[in-house]
Amino acid sequence: MSNTDASPTKAFSALDTRLEQALASGHIAGLHAMVLTRDGRTIAERYFIGRDYTWGVDLGVVDHGEDTLHDLRSVTKSIVSLLYGIALERKLVPPPEAPLLDALPRYADLADETRRRITIADALTMSMGTLWDETVPYTSAANSEIAMEQSPDRLRYALDRPIVEPPGRTWTYNGGAAALIGAVIAEGVGLPIEEFAREVLFKPLDIDRFEWIRSWDGVAAAASGLRLTARDLAKIGNMMLAGGRWNDRAIVSPDWIERATTSRFAANPDNGYGYFWWTGSSTLPSDGDPLPWYAGFGNGGQRLLVLPAAGVVLSTFFGNYDQPEFWLPPARLWSDIILPALSD
C-alpha cells in the first residue's frame, strides 16, 4: 500500500484508523484509490495495490498511484453530460427538448410516431421508453449494453429497441442512451467525443493524461469507456463545486450543472436521477439535517461524489467489477468512514 496525504490533520488521523480497520475486516474490499477534498483542498489521498481490469481485460496486480489511469465505467456517462452541457452553451447541439432522431438524421428511417417523440432529455434521463435490460451480468449477451456493443450498428440497436412505455414516463437504466448522447455531441461539434473532451474540458482543467476506450467501430464508448486518475476525477468535481469554473475560467455553465444534477426521476428508494447524474442526501453525524449530493456511479465501485453544502468532493476507484454488490464497499466508505471523519 502507498499513501499520500497532502494536508494531515488531527481529524483525519481518525479517518486513517477507520480506514485501516475497514480494510482489515474486508468492509471496503477492493479499494484501489480515494481522493477526498474539502473547499478545494486535498485532505486525504490514498492508493492501494490490487488486481485491476480495463473493460474486462485483466491488467494483473497494479500498484495504484497518483498517475495511474483507471476505468471510470459509468461515471463516464456523467462526464458526457458535462460535455453535452458545454456543447449546448456553444449552441452546437439541439436543446434537451428537441427530438432525439432529429439530431441523428442518418437514422430518420426509424422515426415512427412514438419513436419520434423521444427527446434528447429522455435519453439524458434514461426514460426513452424502450426495452432495455442491464440487470443481468455484463459478461452476458443478454445484457442490453453488451448486445449493443456486439451489434453491427450500435446506435441503430439503441434506437430501435421495442417501445414499451411512453417516452419520458419511466426510468430504466440504459447505457444505450449514453451512446446516443455521445453521438449527438459528436454530430453537433464535428469532432469525435474524446477530442471535444480534450479541448473543452480536459485541457482547461490541466488534465493531460486520459484514455477513452473505443468500441469495435472505433467510436469512443460514451457509456463506460473513459479512464482518468483519481486526482483528475476529483478535479472535475471541484470544478463543478466552483460553479463550473477553474482558475478563473468558465468551463461548464452553472445553469447546466444545476439542471444536470437536479433529480428528475426516482431511480430507487434512496436515489434520484438527473441528466446522467445520480442524486441523494447524507447526514453528517455532527448535524441532523440531510445534505444533498450528486454523483457519478460506475460498475466495480467507481464514484465521483459532490456534497456542495459541505464543500466536499470524493473520488474512489474499486476493483469489484461485475460483482452483485459492488456498490456496498464504496457506500460503506462514504457512510462509515468519510462522513464520521468530516464531523470529527
Side-chain angles (χ1 to χ4, degrees), residues 55 71-84 100 104 106 123-124 126 132 134 138 145 148-149 154-155 158 173-187 191-197 201-202 210-228 273 275-277 296-299:
W55 251 38
D71 278 17
L72 303 191
R73 298 299 175 97
S74 287
V75 181
T76 303
K77 296 177 176 71
S78 302
I79 308 304
V80 167
S81 172
L82 299 181
L83 295 174
Y84 174 82
L100 177 62
L104 298 170
R106 63 188 182 276
L124 285 164
M126 298 189 179
W132 198 269
E134 292 190 43
Y138 288 90
E145 183 170 336
M148 175 182 71
E149 291 299 330
R154 297 162 57 250
L155 299 182
Y173 193 79
N174 186 334
L180 293 167
I181 294 298
V184 168
I185 296 168
E187 188 91 15
L191 288 171
I193 190 171
E194 68 274 23
E195 293 304 320
F196 185 62
L201 183 61
F202 297 149
F210 74 97
E211 293 176 2
W212 206 319
I213 297 167
R214 291 175 169 81
S215 296
W216 67 264
D217 56 6
V219 176
S224 59
L226 186 57
R227 289 169 58 80
L228 291 172
Y273 202 76
Y275 288 159
F276 291 160
W277 286 91
F297 291 169
N299 182 349

Side-chain angles (χ1 to χ4, degrees), residues 1-4 32 45-49 63-66:
M1 180 179 78
S2 58
N3 288 341
T4 304
H32 288 167
E45 184 171 357
R46 306 285 184 268
Y47 299 101
F48 305 90
I49 295 172
D63 187 1
H64 296 90
E66 60 190 44

Side-chain angles (χ1 to χ4, degrees), residues 99-156:
L100 177 62
L101 281 168
D102 284 359
L104 298 170
R106 63 188 182 276
Y107 297 106
D109 61 293
L110 297 177
D112 59 39
E113 182 179 350
T114 303
R115 213 171 304 272
R116 181 159 173 74
R117 294 204 300 269
I118 300 173
T119 65
I120 291 173
D122 294 334
L124 285 164
T125 55
M126 298 189 179
S127 61
M128 293 171 59
T130 52
L131 182 66
W132 198 269
D133 185 5
E134 292 190 43
T135 62
V136 297
Y138 288 90
T139 52
S140 169
N143 181 297
S144 295
E145 183 170 336
I146 301 304
M148 175 182 71
E149 291 299 330
Q150 295 176 348
S151 68
D153 185 330
R154 297 162 57 250
L155 299 182
R156 181 171 291 275

Side-chain angles (χ1 to χ4, degrees), residues 15-16 18-20 22-23 26-36 44 46 48 301-303 305 314-318 326-342:
L15 181 146
D16 281 328
R18 292 188 182 99
L19 191 62
E20 293 298 334
L23 287 166
H27 199 57
I28 53 171
L31 180 61
H32 288 167
M34 61 164 277
V35 174
L36 178 68
R46 306 285 184 268
F48 305 90
Q302 324 323 319
R303 296 286 186 273
L305 193 150
L314 174 69
S315 69
T316 66
F317 294 153
F318 282 78
F326 69 80
W327 57 272
L328 262 178
R332 290 166 175 164
L333 175 64
W334 176 246
S335 62
D336 299 347
I337 300 169
I338 301 298
L339 289 178
L342 291 171

Side-chain angles (χ1 to χ4, degrees), residues 254-274:
D255 174 68
W256 179 255
I257 292 172
E258 182 177 357
R259 291 170 71 184
T261 62
T262 296
S263 178
R264 298 168 190 278
F265 285 91
N268 57 49
D270 297 320
N271 302 119
Y273 202 76

Side-chain angles (χ1 to χ4, degrees), residues 189-210:
V189 305
L191 288 171
I193 190 171
E194 68 274 23
E195 293 304 320
F196 185 62
R198 186 195 306 276
E199 293 303 316
V200 304
L201 183 61
F202 297 149
K203 278 187 178 179
L205 286 171
D206 298 319
I207 296 174
D208 55 10
R209 291 183 62 249
F210 74 97

